[in-house]
């Protein structure tokens, strides 16, 4: 209950813009009421049905005070199913329906604090192609992304995946509040940024199953080597020096809030034990239609290279020592996914998943450092140079190479395709393990917004590239010595990269289609401004796509 006479709102904290509204009324013939535009008390929902008859559903609520005990109630086809308390820190209510007929559309409603949110649990797609839309990297500058949302929905996706950095530090113009101790204001700082993401996609997500995986920006970092959940050393500040040493700069409570709000509609983790710092985990799997999915957190257990490779003098994830040019020496103690996730992927690779036709691994970053910089001017990140060489970017999942290859071998055993967020670059290709073309295929989605564009424009031309393909496609090794074959790339400064924001290069989204009848998958990266519903030339993907593959054999078929 609110006090009858609130005390004066102090401004003594300094620097804050403080304001409060109380008992607002609007009247007059110039005022119109649109109840459907209300934002709260339920802000949006995310849902995920599975072939085993379960439904996982999360309601993101308005930021009630932590002391307010709110109860949300779920109705399915008009029948009350269960209730859930609003978790006071993340402001979420989570539901799991254990037995449901997911072969038919089901209507649902969630009631909370006098409000109601309604949507549809769609019938699981069986015996027909499945379409997945994927996005990542939104700094909020295009909010509310009405055109992008319409373009994505024009593909009629069966599922939408958001693969990292749903927010950036600058989202909403609010700035950030960094604190390694539990802090309610830091939690609200995150939630109000994340609300921009939910507000943009809420009408789509009420009816379309979705997966959301947090990236480094979501936990208020620009680089993240989670080091099994340890706390970063912030004794000298919260900048790149703290990040390079590994660990989380924010409190376990804040990181757990991010994990809950973004992954709370996923099935329970297969190994739910939290890290020693009490940071939660979310790696899991499930089957939806013809696909057996797995999700991993490819940053939480990753080792920081700074202390393991002191001779590299690593700053902001990049070696600055002039002598450190060749692939780094092996570091037996260095981790990429960590033992727990490696064990999980090995089991998942052998599991046929309720007769599924395809395996898909979802994560935040590709397993290769697909980025080039000028050899003589490594700080020139704006344009292609004649001496571009692969960049040794430790922020990519390219190091340590032995652990990278272990993950790829599990995906190869499964016949899996890797869909990931990107290093601000949309790409499609095939990983190499022992040689070119012997690993799984991947597609990295371009970012929704791109204030820090990267490129792949190496000076040497790619070997064995397809006829008329750009010189930077074909067989390559990254700066760590990892092999891969690139089939398509949307370079920000390539004249073929269409975008409505020329200085915000090569933004876009990914559409993949999985046809159980043929066993083929079609992979494509699209510009933000394009959709199949638009007239030419905005009715097709970026040059080089689509790419159609047979995941079982590892071959391209178009």
């Amino acid at each position: 209950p609110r006090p009858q006479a609130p005390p004066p709102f102090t401004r003594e904290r300094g620097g804050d813009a403080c304001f409060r509204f109380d008992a607002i009324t609007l009247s007059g013939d110039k005022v119109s009421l649109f109840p459907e535009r209300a934002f709260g008390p339920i802000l949006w929902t995310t849902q995920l049905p599975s072939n085993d008859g379960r439904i996982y559903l999360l309601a993101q609520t308005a930021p009630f005070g932590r002391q307010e005990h709110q109860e949300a109630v779920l109705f399915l086809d008009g029948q009350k199913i269960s209730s859930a308390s609003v978790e006071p820190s993340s402001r979420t209510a989570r539901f799991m329906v254990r037995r449901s007929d997911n072969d038919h559309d089901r209507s649902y409603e969630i009631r909370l604090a006098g409000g109601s949110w309604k949507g549809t649990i769609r019938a699981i797609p069986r015996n027909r192609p499945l379409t997945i839309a994927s996005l990542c990297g939104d700094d909020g500058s295009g909010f509310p992304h009405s055109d992008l949302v319409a373009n994505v929905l024009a593909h009629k996706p069966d599922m939408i995946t958001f693969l990292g950095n749903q927010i950036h530090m600058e989202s909403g113009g609010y700035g950030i509040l960094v604190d390694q101790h539990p802090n309610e204001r830091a939690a609200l700082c995150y939630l109000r940024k994340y609300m921009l993401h939910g507000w943009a996609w809420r009408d789509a997500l009420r009816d379309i199953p979705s997966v959301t995986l947090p990236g480094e920006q979501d936990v208020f970092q620009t680089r993240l080597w989670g080091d099994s959940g340890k706390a970063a050393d912030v004794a000298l500040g919260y900048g790149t020096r703290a990040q390079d040493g590994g660990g989380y700069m924010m409190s376990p409570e804040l990181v757990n809030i991010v994990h809950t709000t973004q992954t709370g509609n996923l099935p329970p983790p297969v190994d739910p034990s939290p890290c020693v710092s009490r940071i939660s985990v979310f790696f899991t799997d499930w089957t939806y239609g013809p696909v057996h999915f797995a999700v991993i957190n490819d940053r939480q257990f990753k080792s920081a290279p700074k202390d393991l490779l002191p001779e590299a003098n690593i700053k902001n994830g990049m070696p600055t020592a002039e002598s450190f040019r060749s692939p780094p020496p092996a570091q037996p103690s260095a981790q990429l996914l960590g033992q727990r996730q490696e064990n999980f992927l090995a089991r998942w690779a052998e599991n046929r998943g309720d007769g599924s036709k395809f395996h898909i691994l979802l994560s935040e970053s590709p397993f290769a450092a697909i980025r080039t910089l000028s050899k003589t001017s490594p700080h020139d990140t704006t344009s292609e140079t004649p001496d571009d060489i692969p960049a040794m970017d430790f922020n990519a999942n390219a190091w340590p190479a032995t652990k990278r290859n272990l993950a790829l071998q599990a995906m190869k055993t499964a016949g899996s395709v890797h869909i990931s967020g990107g290093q601000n670059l949309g790409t499609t290709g095939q990983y190499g393990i022992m040689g070119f073309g012997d690993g799984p295929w991947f597609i990295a989605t371009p970012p929704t917004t791109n204030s820090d564009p990267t490129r792949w424009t190496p000076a040497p031309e790619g070997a064995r590239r397809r006829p008329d393909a750009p010189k930077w496609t074909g067989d390559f090794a990254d700066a760590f010595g990892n092999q891969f074959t690139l089939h398509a790339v949307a370079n920000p400064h390539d004249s073929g990269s269409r975008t409505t924001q020329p200085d915000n290069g090569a933004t876009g989204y990914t559409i993949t289609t999985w046809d159980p009848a043929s066993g083929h998958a079609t992979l494509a990266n699209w510009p933000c401004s394009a959709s199949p519903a638009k007239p030419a030339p905005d009715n097709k993907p970026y040059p080089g796509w689509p790419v159609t593959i047979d995941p079982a054999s590892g071959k391209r078929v178009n």
Side-chain angles (χ1 to χ4, degrees):
R2 277 26 176 211
Q4 294 297 317
F9 202 4
T10 176
R11 301 175 68 96
E12 293 178 358
R13 289 181 296 185
D16 290 343
C18 299
F19 51 87
R20 175 165 60 199
F21 300 99
D22 187 72
I24 292 177
T25 60
L26 296 175
S27 62
D29 57 9
K30 295 296 185 183
V31 177
S32 298
L33 177 64
F34 299 91
E36 71 276 9
R37 296 182 184 176
F39 195 48
I42 297 172
L43 305 183
W44 74 93
T45 55
T46 54
Q47 44 125 324
L48 191 67
S50 63
N51 287 4
D52 63 5
R54 300 193 179 199
I55 300 172
Y56 306 93
L57 199 150
L58 176 140
Q60 183 67 55
T61 77
F64 294 104
R66 292 200 185 203
Q67 76 283 0
E68 298 186 43
H69 301 289
Q70 298 287 349
E71 198 80 5
V73 181
L74 171 66
F75 294 81
L76 197 61
D77 292 336
Q79 300 296 315
K80 181 179 177 180
I81 300 297
S82 61
S83 61
S85 297
V86 174
E87 200 278 318
S89 57
S90 65
R91 279 74 171 185
T92 57
R94 302 168 70 179
F95 300 91
M96 181 176 70
V97 180
R98 296 184 180 275
R99 295 181 181 179
S100 171
D101 181 1
N102 291 342
D103 287 328
H104 303 278
D105 288 357
R106 310 289 302 274
S107 65
Y108 72 89
E109 179 186 8
I110 299 176
R111 298 176 186 173
L112 171 68
S116 171
W117 183 263
K118 297 179 180 180
T120 302
I121 306 294
R122 293 180 176 177
I124 288 180
R126 301 183 189 273
N127 303 315
R128 68 166 178 84
L130 175 78
T131 298
I132 303 171
S134 301
L135 304 98
C136 75
D138 181 9
D139 66 10
S141 59
F143 177 82
H145 297 300
S146 301
D147 190 43
L148 171 63
V149 172
N151 292 341
V152 170
L153 295 183
H155 295 270
K156 296 180 171 53
D158 298 291
M159 178 182 291
I160 303 177
T161 64
F162 301 97
L163 302 176
N165 298 340
Q166 282 63 249
I167 68 167
H168 278 58
M169 297 183 187
E170 60 268 31
S171 291
Y174 298 124
I176 62 168
L177 194 158
V178 186
D179 193 341
Q180 208 166 52
H181 301 284
N183 188 310
E184 172 68 350
R185 294 177 65 221
L188 294 175
C189 180
Y190 161 74
L191 289 171
R192 66 181 177 182
K193 291 175 181 292
Y194 189 50
M195 285 177 192
L196 298 181
H197 166 78
W199 204 343
W201 291 97
R202 65 198 297 245
D203 286 332
L205 296 182
R206 71 165 76 226
D207 298 329
I208 301 176
S210 66
V211 174
T212 307
L213 305 182
E216 66 274 20
Q217 293 272 355
D218 295 296
V219 294
F220 293 1
Q221 298 189 207
T222 57
R223 302 286 186 270
L224 177 60
W225 297 271
D227 225 345
S228 297
K230 80 170 189 179
D233 182 0
V234 297
L236 296 177
Y238 286 86
T240 57
R241 184 181 301 184
Q243 293 184 147
D244 284 332
Y248 290 83
M249 297 196 301
M250 298 300 292
S251 68
E253 180 191 66
L254 189 282
V255 177
N256 287 343
I257 289 172
V258 174
H259 286 185
T260 299
T261 56
Q262 299 199 19
T263 71
N265 70 313
L266 295 182
V270 296
D271 179 1
S273 301
C275 296
V276 291
S277 60
R278 309 306 298 172
I279 290 178
S280 60
V281 299
F282 55 78
F283 56 94
T284 189
D285 68 323
W286 73 98
T287 306
Y288 180 73
V291 179
H292 189 190
F293 287 93
V295 299
I296 57 172
N297 188 337
D298 53 25
R299 300 188 183 278
Q300 185 167 357
F301 297 92
K302 186 191 249 184
S303 297
K306 181 178 175 62
D307 293 337
L308 294 174
L309 300 169
E311 68 276 16
N313 193 24
I314 291 173
K315 295 182 179 180
N316 202 28
M318 305 283 282
T320 61
E322 287 295 325
S323 59
F324 201 83
R325 292 287 189 179
S326 59
Q331 293 290 331
S333 64
Q335 297 294 321
L336 180 55
L337 302 182
Q339 187 68 55
R340 295 165 65 187
Q341 292 193 121
E342 290 170 357
N343 293 342
F344 160 60
L345 284 184
R347 295 192 301 270
W348 172 73
E350 299 291 348
N351 187 340
R352 290 302 95 189
D354 194 24
S356 58
K357 185 72 175 182
F358 302 101
H359 276 59
I360 296 177
L361 177 69
L362 301 174
S363 80
E364 298 98 322
S365 296
F367 289 94
I370 307 176
R371 180 182 184 183
T372 57
L373 291 172
S374 169
K375 182 177 181 180
T376 54
S377 303
H379 299 295
D380 177 11
T381 61
T382 59
S383 59
E384 175 194 359
T385 60
D387 64 344
D388 259 19
I389 60 173
M392 194 174 291
D393 185 356
F394 282 90
N395 191 46
N397 285 333
W399 178 87
T402 53
K403 299 296 187 180
R404 174 256 192 191
N405 290 339
L406 189 65
L408 296 185
Q409 187 58 57
M411 281 192 276
K412 180 180 179 179
T413 299
S416 171
V417 176
H418 184 205
I419 304 178
S420 78
Q423 302 297 106
N424 289 346
L425 188 65
T427 56
T428 291
Q430 188 174 16
Y431 297 120
I433 304 175
M434 301 302 294
F436 292 109
D438 68 346
W441 281 78
F442 68 91
I443 183 166
T445 182
T448 297
T449 53
N450 198 357
S451 57
D452 184 23
T454 59
R455 65 183 184 265
W456 177 259
T457 53
E461 298 184 1
R464 295 194 310 137
R465 66 182 187 276
R466 295 165 64 85
D468 301 322
K471 66 177 184 179
W472 41 72
T473 61
D475 291 344
F476 290 101
D478 66 18
F480 298 91
N482 300 309
Q483 296 176 330
F484 62 92
T485 302
L486 202 60
H487 285 251
V489 56
N491 279 308
H493 306 286
D494 179 0
S495 61
S497 295
R498 307 187 311 280
T499 174
T500 56
Q501 303 176 58
D503 60 344
N504 210 17
T507 59
Y509 60 95
T510 294
I511 297 293
T512 58
T513 304
W514 309 81
D515 184 359
S518 65
H520 296 166
T522 300
L523 320 176
N525 280 334
W526 288 70
C528 278
S529 59
S531 90
K534 289 192 171 182
D538 290 326
N539 61 349
K540 58 185 178 181
Y542 275 116
W545 285 279
V547 174
T548 301
I549 62 172
D550 176 13
S553 66
K555 303 299 183 182
R556 180 170 178 172
V557 297
N558 73 324

